Amino acid sequence: MSRITKVLLNLILYSGILYVGIIILSKVFDIGTKKFLEMDSRKRKIVLIGFIVFTGFIPLLLSKNTYALRTSILVLIYIVLALSLNFVLGFAGQLSMGHSAFYAVGAYTTAILTVNYNVPFWISLIFSALVAAIFGLLLGVPTLRLKGDYLAITTIGFGEILRLILINWTSFTRGPAGIPGIPSPSIFGYTIRTNTGYFYILYVLALMTIFISHRLLNSRLGRGLIAIRDDEVAAEAMGVNPTFLKILAFVLGAAIAGIVGGIFASFIHYVNPDNFTYMESVVILTMVVLGGVGSIPGVIVGATVLAILPEALRGISTYRYAIYGILLAMMMIVRPQGIISMASLKGGGANGNSSSQSGN
Amino acid sequence: MFMEQLSNGIALGSIYALTAIGFTMVYGIIRLINFAHGDLYMIGAFLTYTGLTLFNMPILLSFLFGMFGAAIFGILIAKFAYSPVFKAPRINLFLSAIGIAIFLENFAMLLWGPETQSFPSVINNRIYSFIGIRISSLQLIILGATVVLVGILTYVVQYTKLGRAMRCVSQDMDVSKLMGINTNRIVYLTFALGSGLGAAAGTLVGMYYKAVYPMMGFVPGLKAFIAAVIGGIGSIPGAMLGGLIMGISESLGAAYISSGYRDAIAFVILIIILLLKPEGLLGRGIKEKI
């Protein structure tokens, strides 16, 4: 009985702290976006470039602290993964819950090609993207006719089937034992072994993904996707081809997830099916929604917060995931539009739940 | 061999059916994939286990204790985690449910510990065989409990005022409100009923496999959804049919195809059904209003 009281008291205490934390964080980001939007375009550019340069120096600042550097690499991996899911969920409005499957396909492609066939890392990375894109196409063509919850559950099913194949097809994937000994990449004869090297590879990839997201969002294709997300029937009536665009978003997201998977495999030198469970997909999805569906800075903030949080909570490790669950539910109640919502970026609806996007 | 797998499949299928009914009822009313449903099933099993071992209650009483406890959990979740998000975009409700599912799993780990607890064997398990069919008394109990619970549920839904109100709310919540139905109360009661049925299924599984553990609800939760979709989501007879189809095909598939792909069979059936008849076997198609 005393155990129940203790657990309950602790949970109430932590939830209270979380609540206050969410409120403060939201206020800070609200003020931040407002300030940023009030600047003229030159000042904005300076702030952005300053931010990019500063984050580029992180490995130098953290060079003494390997643990923090490894965590920042994980943060970058999750930023790219979350952005790649954002193509599907944020732009096209399709609730995909099997994103870790594409990540797994990419990681296993690189692992098998480099270990079994001695293919150079960079070439196998291209194959990772291609194979993941093919899987995206294979999944997208039949399932994107489904809507909302049905699509979600089918993509969960796809992820689970893929994981079971990875476990059971032992002659090809070595099953639950995983594939060890994935080599490090090399550029111009120089082999990248340090964490700093991996940081910069992922940093470039993250910048590229942000660039692609940004350009896509403001292009003909991106506007078409957003039109589909807001109202598919109306978009179709306006001459947008929903099926084609949805599949395009799916394939693009899958290909980028595949590339990150390949880099991840080389970073930890080992892949096994447990790295790519359904929980992984949920974590990526949570990052997107927590940050603000569709908003690029929001997704980056969401991925950063949620990738650091489990590490920061290590001190109270038994309560870690219970708190994670509470945070998720509480965030949806207190701030359903995410930390930096898409609407607030356009200058309106910064506070209040009046977002007109109906998600799914 | 075939007959054994078949009776095994029917027992398994009736457990899936019980879980799927709770699921489909909640979906019918608030259109939410209740990801926490599988975890309420786990909570129910643990509460029954606690009733049996800590309070030394007789089996029937602790069974009811588990069902009522899980029903209270269901109401609390609906009140504090779901109803504040009803008006927000759908994906928020969805993620709130996932958050609650993660929370419940870890809450159970904090209270009962992460390791598997062995469920006390309360029933002397005998094997009966007649005309070549071998069936154990546990399987008979599972089947009997399912039939009784589904019977009670059908009576409640079809012949009582409460049931009529529930069917009403699932058709149109706003109009039900206009007709003087207290929709909030109906939503909470539906959650209570669904969670109670889920808890019953969890307890039966605990009895069948003689084990309870915090992650036991995760895969059954997904399968309950699949069973509900196969039968046509929102339809109670459909959920039963879907549960039975899944249970039988899973035991036969595990025996004759490959036991490693046991959990994949459910998803393969799901994908086939969604592609061929997306509204489910007994479901009615809903036309989209423009």
Short mmCIF file of all heavy atoms in Angstrom, two decimals, chain B residues 211-270:
data_model
loop_
_atom_site.label_atom_id
_atom_site.label_comp_id
_atom_site.label_asym_id
_atom_site.label_seq_id
_atom_site.Cartn_x
_atom_site.Cartn_y
_atom_site.Cartn_z
N ALA B 211 0.11 -16.19 -16.75
CA ALA B 211 1.13 -15.15 -16.59
C ALA B 211 0.50 -13.78 -16.83
O ALA B 211 -0.38 -13.63 -17.68
CB ALA B 211 2.26 -15.36 -17.59
N VAL B 212 0.93 -12.80 -16.03
CA VAL B 212 0.56 -11.41 -16.30
C VAL B 212 1.84 -10.57 -16.28
O VAL B 212 2.72 -10.80 -15.46
CB VAL B 212 -0.45 -10.83 -15.28
CG1 VAL B 212 -1.84 -11.31 -15.57
CG2 VAL B 212 -0.06 -11.18 -13.86
N TYR B 213 1.95 -9.64 -17.22
CA TYR B 213 3.12 -8.76 -17.26
C TYR B 213 2.72 -7.44 -17.90
O TYR B 213 1.74 -7.38 -18.66
CB TYR B 213 4.27 -9.42 -18.02
CG TYR B 213 3.92 -9.96 -19.37
CD1 TYR B 213 4.16 -9.24 -20.52
CD2 TYR B 213 3.32 -11.21 -19.48
CE1 TYR B 213 3.83 -9.73 -21.76
CE2 TYR B 213 2.97 -11.72 -20.72
CZ TYR B 213 3.23 -10.98 -21.85
OH TYR B 213 2.88 -11.47 -23.07
N PRO B 214 3.46 -6.34 -17.59
CA PRO B 214 2.99 -5.01 -18.01
C PRO B 214 2.82 -4.81 -19.52
O PRO B 214 2.00 -4.01 -19.94
CB PRO B 214 4.08 -4.07 -17.48
CG PRO B 214 4.66 -4.79 -16.35
CD PRO B 214 4.61 -6.24 -16.69
N MET B 215 3.58 -5.54 -20.34
CA MET B 215 3.45 -5.31 -21.78
C MET B 215 2.44 -6.25 -22.43
O MET B 215 2.33 -6.30 -23.65
CB MET B 215 4.80 -5.47 -22.47
CG MET B 215 5.82 -4.40 -22.11
SD MET B 215 5.24 -2.74 -22.41
CE MET B 215 5.29 -2.71 -24.20
N MET B 216 1.71 -7.03 -21.62
CA MET B 216 0.83 -8.05 -22.21
C MET B 216 -0.29 -7.47 -23.07
O MET B 216 -0.84 -8.16 -23.90
CB MET B 216 0.23 -8.93 -21.12
CG MET B 216 -0.79 -8.23 -20.24
SD MET B 216 -1.32 -9.24 -18.85
CE MET B 216 -2.54 -10.30 -19.61
N GLY B 217 -0.60 -6.18 -22.88
CA GLY B 217 -1.75 -5.62 -23.58
C GLY B 217 -1.43 -5.03 -24.93
O GLY B 217 -2.34 -4.75 -25.71
N PHE B 218 -0.17 -4.85 -25.23
CA PHE B 218 0.18 -4.08 -26.42
C PHE B 218 -0.27 -4.77 -27.72
O PHE B 218 -1.06 -4.22 -28.50
CB PHE B 218 1.68 -3.81 -26.43
CG PHE B 218 2.16 -3.19 -27.70
CD1 PHE B 218 1.72 -1.94 -28.04
CD2 PHE B 218 3.01 -3.87 -28.55
CE1 PHE B 218 2.13 -1.36 -29.22
CE2 PHE B 218 3.42 -3.30 -29.72
CZ PHE B 218 2.98 -2.04 -30.06
N VAL B 219 0.21 -5.99 -27.93
CA VAL B 219 -0.16 -6.68 -29.17
C VAL B 219 -1.66 -7.00 -29.23
O VAL B 219 -2.30 -6.74 -30.25
CB VAL B 219 0.71 -7.95 -29.36
CG1 VAL B 219 0.26 -8.74 -30.55
CG2 VAL B 219 2.17 -7.54 -29.54
N PRO B 220 -2.27 -7.49 -28.12
CA PRO B 220 -3.72 -7.71 -28.19
C PRO B 220 -4.49 -6.43 -28.48
O PRO B 220 -5.52 -6.48 -29.15
CB PRO B 220 -4.06 -8.24 -26.80
CG PRO B 220 -2.82 -8.85 -26.33
CD PRO B 220 -1.71 -8.04 -26.88
N GLY B 221 -3.99 -5.28 -28.02
CA GLY B 221 -4.66 -4.03 -28.32
C GLY B 221 -4.71 -3.77 -29.81
O GLY B 221 -5.75 -3.44 -30.37
N LEU B 222 -3.57 -3.98 -30.49
CA LEU B 222 -3.53 -3.81 -31.94
C LEU B 222 -4.44 -4.83 -32.62
O LEU B 222 -5.18 -4.51 -33.55
CB LEU B 222 -2.11 -4.00 -32.46
CG LEU B 222 -1.10 -2.89 -32.18
CD1 LEU B 222 0.23 -3.25 -32.79
CD2 LEU B 222 -1.59 -1.59 -32.76
N LYS B 223 -4.39 -6.07 -32.11
CA LYS B 223 -5.19 -7.12 -32.76
C LYS B 223 -6.67 -6.88 -32.56
O LYS B 223 -7.48 -7.21 -33.43
CB LYS B 223 -4.79 -8.48 -32.22
CG LYS B 223 -3.46 -8.91 -32.79
CD LYS B 223 -3.14 -10.30 -32.40
CE LYS B 223 -1.75 -10.64 -32.90
NZ LYS B 223 -1.19 -11.75 -32.13
N ALA B 224 -7.02 -6.30 -31.40
CA ALA B 224 -8.43 -5.98 -31.19
C ALA B 224 -8.89 -4.98 -32.23
O ALA B 224 -9.98 -5.10 -32.78
CB ALA B 224 -8.63 -5.41 -29.80
N PHE B 225 -8.04 -4.03 -32.53
CA PHE B 225 -8.42 -3.06 -33.55
C PHE B 225 -8.61 -3.77 -34.89
O PHE B 225 -9.58 -3.53 -35.60
CB PHE B 225 -7.36 -1.96 -33.68
CG PHE B 225 -7.71 -0.98 -34.75
CD1 PHE B 225 -8.64 -0.01 -34.49
CD2 PHE B 225 -7.16 -1.07 -36.01
CE1 PHE B 225 -9.00 0.89 -35.48
CE2 PHE B 225 -7.51 -0.17 -36.99
CZ PHE B 225 -8.44 0.80 -36.72
N ILE B 226 -7.66 -4.67 -35.21
CA ILE B 226 -7.77 -5.37 -36.49
C ILE B 226 -9.05 -6.19 -36.54
O ILE B 226 -9.78 -6.16 -37.53
CB ILE B 226 -6.54 -6.27 -36.70
CG1 ILE B 226 -5.30 -5.40 -36.75
CG2 ILE B 226 -6.67 -7.07 -37.97
CD1 ILE B 226 -4.03 -6.19 -36.82
N ALA B 227 -9.35 -6.89 -35.43
CA ALA B 227 -10.57 -7.70 -35.39
C ALA B 227 -11.78 -6.80 -35.61
O ALA B 227 -12.70 -7.16 -36.36
CB ALA B 227 -10.67 -8.42 -34.07
N ALA B 228 -11.75 -5.61 -34.99
CA ALA B 228 -12.88 -4.70 -35.14
C ALA B 228 -13.01 -4.23 -36.59
O ALA B 228 -14.11 -4.13 -37.13
CB ALA B 228 -12.72 -3.51 -34.21
N VAL B 229 -11.86 -3.97 -37.24
CA VAL B 229 -11.91 -3.50 -38.62
C VAL B 229 -12.39 -4.61 -39.55
O VAL B 229 -13.18 -4.38 -40.46
CB VAL B 229 -10.53 -2.98 -39.07
CG1 VAL B 229 -10.53 -2.68 -40.56
CG2 VAL B 229 -10.17 -1.74 -38.32
N ILE B 230 -11.90 -5.84 -39.30
CA ILE B 230 -12.32 -6.95 -40.16
C ILE B 230 -13.83 -7.11 -40.12
O ILE B 230 -14.49 -7.27 -41.14
CB ILE B 230 -11.64 -8.26 -39.70
CG1 ILE B 230 -10.15 -8.21 -40.00
CG2 ILE B 230 -12.26 -9.46 -40.40
CD1 ILE B 230 -9.41 -9.39 -39.47
N GLY B 231 -14.41 -7.02 -38.91
CA GLY B 231 -15.84 -7.21 -38.80
C GLY B 231 -16.64 -6.00 -39.21
O GLY B 231 -17.84 -6.09 -39.41
N GLY B 232 -16.01 -4.86 -39.34
CA GLY B 232 -16.74 -3.62 -39.63
C GLY B 232 -16.76 -2.80 -38.38
O GLY B 232 -17.45 -3.15 -37.41
N ILE B 233 -16.00 -1.72 -38.36
CA ILE B 233 -15.80 -1.02 -37.11
C ILE B 233 -17.08 -0.34 -36.64
O ILE B 233 -17.84 0.19 -37.44
CB ILE B 233 -14.61 -0.04 -37.22
CG1 ILE B 233 -14.09 0.30 -35.85
CG2 ILE B 233 -14.96 1.19 -38.00
CD1 ILE B 233 -12.63 0.59 -35.85
N GLY B 234 -17.35 -0.42 -35.35
CA GLY B 234 -18.58 0.14 -34.80
C GLY B 234 -19.68 -0.90 -34.66
O GLY B 234 -20.68 -0.66 -34.00
N SER B 235 -19.50 -2.09 -35.28
CA SER B 235 -20.55 -3.09 -35.20
C SER B 235 -20.15 -4.18 -34.22
O SER B 235 -19.08 -4.78 -34.32
CB SER B 235 -20.79 -3.67 -36.60
OG SER B 235 -20.90 -5.06 -36.57
N ILE B 236 -21.01 -4.45 -33.21
CA ILE B 236 -20.65 -5.41 -32.16
C ILE B 236 -20.61 -6.85 -32.68
O ILE B 236 -19.64 -7.57 -32.43
CB ILE B 236 -21.58 -5.23 -30.95
CG1 ILE B 236 -21.27 -3.88 -30.29
CG2 ILE B 236 -21.39 -6.35 -29.95
CD1 ILE B 236 -22.16 -3.53 -29.15
N PRO B 237 -21.63 -7.31 -33.43
CA PRO B 237 -21.51 -8.67 -33.99
C PRO B 237 -20.30 -8.80 -34.91
O PRO B 237 -19.63 -9.84 -34.94
CB PRO B 237 -22.80 -8.87 -34.79
CG PRO B 237 -23.69 -7.76 -34.44
CD PRO B 237 -22.91 -6.69 -33.78
N GLY B 238 -19.99 -7.70 -35.62
CA GLY B 238 -18.82 -7.70 -36.50
C GLY B 238 -17.55 -7.92 -35.73
O GLY B 238 -16.68 -8.70 -36.13
N ALA B 239 -17.44 -7.26 -34.56
CA ALA B 239 -16.23 -7.42 -33.74
C ALA B 239 -16.08 -8.86 -33.29
O ALA B 239 -14.98 -9.42 -33.27
CB ALA B 239 -16.29 -6.49 -32.54
N MET B 240 -17.23 -9.50 -32.94
CA MET B 240 -17.15 -10.90 -32.51
C MET B 240 -16.68 -11.79 -33.64
O MET B 240 -15.80 -12.64 -33.47
CB MET B 240 -18.52 -11.37 -32.02
CG MET B 240 -18.84 -10.86 -30.64
SD MET B 240 -20.57 -11.05 -30.28
CE MET B 240 -20.77 -12.78 -30.51
N LEU B 241 -17.29 -11.58 -34.81
CA LEU B 241 -16.90 -12.38 -35.98
C LEU B 241 -15.43 -12.17 -36.30
O LEU B 241 -14.67 -13.14 -36.50
CB LEU B 241 -17.77 -11.97 -37.17
CG LEU B 241 -17.51 -12.71 -38.47
CD1 LEU B 241 -17.96 -14.15 -38.31
CD2 LEU B 241 -18.25 -12.07 -39.62
N GLY B 242 -15.01 -10.90 -36.29
CA GLY B 242 -13.61 -10.59 -36.59
C GLY B 242 -12.67 -11.25 -35.60
O GLY B 242 -11.65 -11.82 -35.98
N GLY B 243 -13.03 -11.20 -34.31
CA GLY B 243 -12.19 -11.82 -33.29
C GLY B 243 -12.04 -13.30 -33.53
O GLY B 243 -10.93 -13.85 -33.46
N LEU B 244 -13.17 -13.97 -33.83
CA LEU B 244 -13.10 -15.42 -34.05
C LEU B 244 -12.27 -15.75 -35.28
O LEU B 244 -11.43 -16.66 -35.26
CB LEU B 244 -14.51 -15.99 -34.21
CG LEU B 244 -15.24 -16.21 -32.89
CD1 LEU B 244 -16.65 -16.69 -33.13
CD2 LEU B 244 -14.49 -17.24 -32.04
N ILE B 245 -12.48 -14.99 -36.38
CA ILE B 245 -11.71 -15.25 -37.60
C ILE B 245 -10.22 -15.12 -37.31
O ILE B 245 -9.41 -15.97 -37.68
CB ILE B 245 -12.10 -14.24 -38.71
CG1 ILE B 245 -13.51 -14.53 -39.21
CG2 ILE B 245 -11.12 -14.30 -39.87
CD1 ILE B 245 -13.99 -13.54 -40.24
N MET B 246 -9.87 -14.04 -36.54
CA MET B 246 -8.45 -13.84 -36.26
C MET B 246 -7.88 -14.94 -35.40
O MET B 246 -6.80 -15.44 -35.66
CB MET B 246 -8.27 -12.52 -35.56
CG MET B 246 -8.42 -11.39 -36.49
SD MET B 246 -7.17 -10.20 -36.32
CE MET B 246 -6.52 -10.50 -34.76
N GLY B 247 -8.62 -15.31 -34.34
CA GLY B 247 -8.11 -16.34 -33.43
C GLY B 247 -7.86 -17.64 -34.17
O GLY B 247 -6.79 -18.26 -34.05
N ILE B 248 -8.85 -18.06 -34.98
CA ILE B 248 -8.73 -19.34 -35.67
C ILE B 248 -7.62 -19.29 -36.71
O ILE B 248 -6.75 -20.18 -36.77
CB ILE B 248 -10.08 -19.73 -36.32
CG1 ILE B 248 -11.10 -20.02 -35.22
CG2 ILE B 248 -9.91 -20.94 -37.22
CD1 ILE B 248 -12.50 -20.15 -35.70
N SER B 249 -7.59 -18.20 -37.52
CA SER B 249 -6.57 -18.18 -38.57
C SER B 249 -5.18 -18.07 -37.96
O SER B 249 -4.21 -18.60 -38.50
CB SER B 249 -6.83 -17.04 -39.55
OG SER B 249 -6.98 -15.83 -38.88
N GLU B 250 -5.10 -17.43 -36.78
CA GLU B 250 -3.79 -17.32 -36.16
C GLU B 250 -3.30 -18.67 -35.66
O GLU B 250 -2.14 -19.04 -35.90
CB GLU B 250 -3.88 -16.34 -35.01
CG GLU B 250 -2.67 -15.47 -34.87
CD GLU B 250 -2.83 -14.54 -33.72
OE1 GLU B 250 -3.45 -13.49 -33.90
OE2 GLU B 250 -2.34 -14.87 -32.64
N SER B 251 -4.17 -19.43 -34.97
CA SER B 251 -3.68 -20.73 -34.48
C SER B 251 -3.37 -21.66 -35.63
O SER B 251 -2.38 -22.39 -35.59
CB SER B 251 -4.65 -21.45 -33.58
OG SER B 251 -5.53 -20.64 -33.00
N LEU B 252 -4.24 -21.66 -36.66
CA LEU B 252 -3.97 -22.55 -37.79
C LEU B 252 -2.72 -22.10 -38.52
O LEU B 252 -1.88 -22.92 -38.91
CB LEU B 252 -5.17 -22.59 -38.74
CG LEU B 252 -6.43 -23.24 -38.18
CD1 LEU B 252 -7.53 -23.25 -39.22
CD2 LEU B 252 -6.15 -24.66 -37.71
N GLY B 253 -2.59 -20.78 -38.70
CA GLY B 253 -1.42 -20.27 -39.41
C GLY B 253 -0.13 -20.58 -38.68
O GLY B 253 0.86 -20.99 -39.28
N ALA B 254 -0.17 -20.41 -37.34
CA ALA B 254 1.04 -20.69 -36.56
C ALA B 254 1.39 -22.17 -36.65
O ALA B 254 2.56 -22.55 -36.67
CB ALA B 254 0.82 -20.29 -35.11
N ALA B 255 0.36 -23.03 -36.74
CA ALA B 255 0.64 -24.46 -36.78
C ALA B 255 1.11 -24.91 -38.15
O ALA B 255 2.01 -25.74 -38.28
CB ALA B 255 -0.61 -25.24 -36.37
N TYR B 256 0.50 -24.38 -39.22
CA TYR B 256 0.76 -24.94 -40.54
C TYR B 256 1.70 -24.09 -41.39
O TYR B 256 2.29 -24.60 -42.33
CB TYR B 256 -0.56 -25.16 -41.30
CG TYR B 256 -1.39 -26.25 -40.68
CD1 TYR B 256 -2.52 -25.96 -39.93
CD2 TYR B 256 -1.01 -27.58 -40.82
CE1 TYR B 256 -3.27 -26.95 -39.35
CE2 TYR B 256 -1.76 -28.58 -40.24
CZ TYR B 256 -2.88 -28.26 -39.50
OH TYR B 256 -3.61 -29.26 -38.92
N ILE B 257 1.81 -22.79 -41.10
CA ILE B 257 2.68 -21.98 -41.96
C ILE B 257 4.00 -21.74 -41.26
O ILE B 257 5.02 -22.32 -41.60
CB ILE B 257 1.99 -20.64 -42.34
CG1 ILE B 257 0.67 -20.92 -43.07
CG2 ILE B 257 2.90 -19.83 -43.24
CD1 ILE B 257 -0.19 -19.70 -43.29
N SER B 258 4.00 -20.88 -40.24
CA SER B 258 5.25 -20.63 -39.53
C SER B 258 4.90 -19.91 -38.24
O SER B 258 4.12 -18.96 -38.24
CB SER B 258 6.16 -19.74 -40.38
OG SER B 258 7.02 -19.02 -39.53
N SER B 259 5.45 -20.38 -37.12
CA SER B 259 5.08 -19.74 -35.86
C SER B 259 5.80 -18.40 -35.70
O SER B 259 5.36 -17.55 -34.94
CB SER B 259 5.40 -20.66 -34.69
OG SER B 259 6.77 -20.96 -34.69
N GLY B 260 6.89 -18.20 -36.44
CA GLY B 260 7.61 -16.93 -36.34
C GLY B 260 6.79 -15.77 -36.86
O GLY B 260 6.92 -14.65 -36.41
N TYR B 261 5.93 -16.05 -37.84
CA TYR B 261 5.14 -14.99 -38.46
C TYR B 261 3.74 -14.89 -37.86
O TYR B 261 2.85 -14.29 -38.44
CB TYR B 261 5.05 -15.20 -39.97
CG TYR B 261 6.36 -14.91 -40.67
CD1 TYR B 261 7.16 -15.94 -41.13
CD2 TYR B 261 6.79 -13.61 -40.83
CE1 TYR B 261 8.36 -15.68 -41.75
CE2 TYR B 261 7.99 -13.34 -41.45
CZ TYR B 261 8.77 -14.37 -41.91
OH TYR B 261 9.95 -14.10 -42.52
N ARG B 262 3.55 -15.51 -36.69
CA ARG B 262 2.24 -15.55 -36.05
C ARG B 262 1.57 -14.18 -36.00
O ARG B 262 0.41 -14.03 -36.39
CB ARG B 262 2.46 -16.08 -34.64
CG ARG B 262 1.22 -16.38 -33.91
CD ARG B 262 1.54 -16.68 -32.45
NE ARG B 262 0.29 -16.87 -31.76
CZ ARG B 262 -0.18 -18.05 -31.40
NH1 ARG B 262 0.53 -19.13 -31.62
NH2 ARG B 262 -1.35 -18.15 -30.83
N ASP B 263 2.31 -13.15 -35.53
CA ASP B 263 1.69 -11.83 -35.38
C ASP B 263 1.48 -11.14 -36.72
O ASP B 263 0.69 -10.21 -36.82
CB ASP B 263 2.55 -10.94 -34.48
CG ASP B 263 2.49 -11.40 -33.04
OD1 ASP B 263 1.53 -12.12 -32.71
OD2 ASP B 263 3.39 -11.07 -32.26
N ALA B 264 2.20 -11.60 -37.75
CA ALA B 264 2.05 -10.96 -39.06
C ALA B 264 0.74 -11.37 -39.73
O ALA B 264 0.20 -10.62 -40.53
CB ALA B 264 3.22 -11.30 -39.96
N ILE B 265 0.24 -12.57 -39.37
CA ILE B 265 -0.97 -13.08 -40.03
C ILE B 265 -2.12 -12.08 -39.87
O ILE B 265 -2.82 -11.76 -40.83
CB ILE B 265 -1.35 -14.45 -39.43
CG1 ILE B 265 -0.28 -15.47 -39.81
CG2 ILE B 265 -2.72 -14.90 -39.90
CD1 ILE B 265 -0.35 -16.75 -39.04
N ALA B 266 -2.25 -11.54 -38.63
CA ALA B 266 -3.33 -10.59 -38.38
C ALA B 266 -3.23 -9.40 -39.31
O ALA B 266 -4.23 -8.97 -39.90
CB ALA B 266 -3.25 -10.12 -36.93
N PHE B 267 -2.01 -8.89 -39.49
CA PHE B 267 -1.85 -7.69 -40.32
C PHE B 267 -2.09 -7.99 -41.79
O PHE B 267 -2.63 -7.15 -42.52
CB PHE B 267 -0.47 -7.08 -40.11
CG PHE B 267 -0.32 -6.45 -38.76
CD1 PHE B 267 0.46 -7.04 -37.79
CD2 PHE B 267 -0.99 -5.29 -38.46
CE1 PHE B 267 0.58 -6.47 -36.55
CE2 PHE B 267 -0.88 -4.71 -37.22
CZ PHE B 267 -0.09 -5.30 -36.26
N VAL B 268 -1.69 -9.20 -42.22
CA VAL B 268 -1.94 -9.57 -43.61
C VAL B 268 -3.44 -9.63 -43.87
O VAL B 268 -3.95 -9.07 -44.86
CB VAL B 268 -1.25 -10.90 -43.95
CG1 VAL B 268 -1.67 -11.38 -45.32
CG2 VAL B 268 0.25 -10.74 -43.87
N ILE B 269 -4.19 -10.25 -42.94
CA ILE B 269 -5.65 -10.29 -43.10
C ILE B 269 -6.19 -8.88 -43.17
O ILE B 269 -7.04 -8.55 -44.00
CB ILE B 269 -6.31 -11.04 -41.92
CG1 ILE B 269 -5.81 -12.48 -41.84
CG2 ILE B 269 -7.82 -11.04 -42.06
CD1 ILE B 269 -6.38 -13.22 -40.66
N LEU B 270 -5.69 -8.02 -42.27
CA LEU B 270 -6.16 -6.63 -42.23
C LEU B 270 -5.98 -5.95 -43.56
O LEU B 270 -6.90 -5.31 -44.09
CB LEU B 270 -5.41 -5.86 -41.15
CG LEU B 270 -5.69 -4.37 -41.15
CD1 LEU B 270 -7.00 -4.09 -40.47
CD2 LEU B 270 -4.59 -3.58 -40.52
#
